Amino acid sequence: MSTITMTDGTQIYYKDWGTGQPVVFSHGWPLSSDSWEAQMMFLASKGYRCIAHDRRGHGRSSQPWNGNEMDTFADDLSQLIETLDLKDALLIVFSWVAAKLPAISAVTVRNDCPRQR
C-alpha cells in the first residue's frame, strides 16, 4: 500500500498507475480514490501516469481529528505532487474540490485533458 506522511503525521494513501504525463485525480466527499478507477485504467492504458489519493479522513488514509478543511486538503495534495516529483501534471477534480485549486501552487492545470467518450 503506497502512502506518504504529511508534516502533521497523517498518512495519505495513493494509487500510482502507468507511465507518461501525470494525471492527478482528487475526489469529493464522501468518496475515495476508488471512485476514479475506470478513468485511471482508461488513461493509463493510453500512456498516462495516473495518481489518485484518499484525502485525509477518507478511504485508506489516516482519520485525524484535525486538518479536515480546505487549506489542509490543498496542502496534502501539494505535498503529494511534490513528493512524487510530478511535472506538467493534469489535475482532474470532482465536486467542491475545485474550490481548492488556487491553493495548489505546485500544479499546472490545463484544459486539454483527454476525455473518455
Side-chain angles (χ1 to χ4, degrees), residues 5-95:
T5 303
M6 299 296 115
T7 54
D8 67 354
T10 300
Q11 293 283 311
I12 300 295
Y13 168 83
Y14 67 93
K15 299 176 182 189
D16 189 348
W17 298 350
T19 59
Q21 181 180 6
V23 180
V24 179
F25 296 86
S26 188
H27 65 83
W29 182 88
L31 305 172
S32 72
S33 59
D34 294 344
S35 65
W36 294 111
E37 283 192 354
Q39 294 82 2
M40 291 176 67
M41 290 291 288
F42 176 79
L43 290 172
S45 74
K46 301 296 183 187
Y48 290 89
R49 179 181 177 190
C50 297
I51 299 99
H53 71 295
D54 290 351
R55 283 198 334 248
R56 61 176 56 225
H58 295 77
R60 290 156 291 238
S61 290
S62 297
Q63 308 282 318
W65 181 255
N66 295 316
N68 293 297
E69 35 72 29
M70 298 296 275
D71 288 340
T72 306
F73 293 150
D75 290 345
D76 291 347
L77 184 53
S78 290
Q79 190 173 337
L80 176 69
I81 290 166
E82 290 172 16
T83 300
L84 297 179
D85 194 29
L86 303 179
K87 306 291 186 215
D88 196 26
L90 303 173
L91 181 60
I92 299 176
V93 301
F94 173 74
S95 187

Side-chain angles (χ1 to χ4, degrees), residues 91-113:
L91 181 60
I92 299 176
V93 301
F94 173 74
S95 187
W96 63 272
V97 178
K100 72 182 174 183
L101 290 178
I104 305 169
S105 61
V107 178
T108 301
V109 178
R110 298 188 339 199
N111 292 325
D112 62 345
C113 179

